[in-house]
Amino acid sequence: MTHIANSDIQIRPLYDGESGTWTYLIIHNATHTCCLIDPILEKMDRDINLIRELNLELLFTIETHIHADHITSSGSLRQLTNCKTFVPEGAKIECATNFMKDSSKILLGDTALEILETPGHTEHSISIYIKNLCVFTGDALLIRGCGRTDFQGGNAELLYESITQKLFQLPEDTIVFPGHDYKGFVYSSIGEEKKLNPRVANKSKAEFVSFMQNLNLPYPKKIHEALPANENCGILK
């Protein structure tokens, strides 16, 4: 599957094999405009070439959080196209043009992208909801998993609440587009994750917190390079 579409928009998932990251190109059909969610510096040529091939105008990029495993291309894309750069309010990204908080809405044509604050993976993480269609969950909710909570202000209790009290309250047929996947899955649904996600489904907060505290994962390889770069919109100093 290369894209999901309705009469108003198309969604094209774009993958980075090195970091297991999904970037999402959202296209508004009537206005030939688009945005990118979580773009990656090493994949900027791929993304901008696709946008040009499809004769689209890039209006903005959105970061779901400050990434530790890859460098964003948001600043470079802004320099190239004059697009806006949206980041979560409270994140230390002073170079951005726009800051998002819970219930903020960004318009792509006449399609509203609603911001849901879903902290826990990091202190300032967001998800992006398109009503009656899908939610881009960043690293909060993954397919049969979730983001880690052991650095960048991560908090397992907050993540459990973000998933169960906010994301799982969306309609069950809402398509879930995760920020990462390492097993080849493109999308899931809220109903599917409520039933089948082994970290959260039928788990108490205490069980979830205990599990997350004992993951013992190595830090991302690019963390020392990526964090300072992403605090500067991916522009390397």
Side-chain angles (χ1 to χ4, degrees), residues 221-237:
K221 294 178 181 179
K222 289 189 174 181
I223 185 171
H224 298 297
E225 176 186 8
L227 287 182
N230 289 334
E231 289 175 352
N232 194 45
C233 295
I235 302 298
L236 304 177
K237 297 180 179 179

Side-chain angles (χ1 to χ4, degrees), residues 154-200:
N155 183 303
E157 290 189 3
L158 275 181
L159 183 56
Y160 182 85
E161 292 170 2
S162 292
I163 294 171
T164 61
Q165 302 304 311
K166 188 158 288 186
L167 294 174
F168 281 1
Q169 301 307 308
L170 298 174
E172 292 198 350
D173 61 354
T174 302
I175 298 168
V176 172
F177 287 116
H180 289 282
D181 188 79
Y182 309 100
K183 298 180 180 178
F185 295 111
V186 181
Y187 68 94
S188 179
S189 71
I190 291 296
E192 199 171 289
E193 293 307 312
K194 285 171 70 173
K195 294 177 183 176
L196 300 176
N197 192 303
R199 296 189 181 182
V200 191

Side-chain angles (χ1 to χ4, degrees), residues 112-128:
L113 281 61
E114 182 179 353
I115 304 306
L116 308 176
E117 289 182 354
T118 49
H121 169 61
T122 68
E123 186 177 2
H124 303 290
S125 292
I126 62 163
S127 298
I128 302 144

Side-chain angles (χ1 to χ4, degrees), residues 118-122 139-142 144-150 154-165 167-168 193 197-217:
T118 49
H121 169 61
T122 68
D139 289 15
L141 178 64
L142 306 179
R144 309 299 191 267
C146 64
R148 62 195 295 170
T149 58
D150 57 336
N155 183 303
E157 290 189 3
L158 275 181
L159 183 56
Y160 182 85
E161 292 170 2
S162 292
I163 294 171
T164 61
Q165 302 304 311
L167 294 174
F168 281 1
E193 293 307 312
N197 192 303
R199 296 189 181 182
V200 191
N202 301 311
K203 295 292 192 297
S204 68
K205 183 188 291 187
E207 289 173 320
F208 178 81
V209 170
S210 177
F211 178 85
M212 297 302 293
Q213 288 176 341
N214 290 283
L215 285 177
N216 298 316
L217 297 171

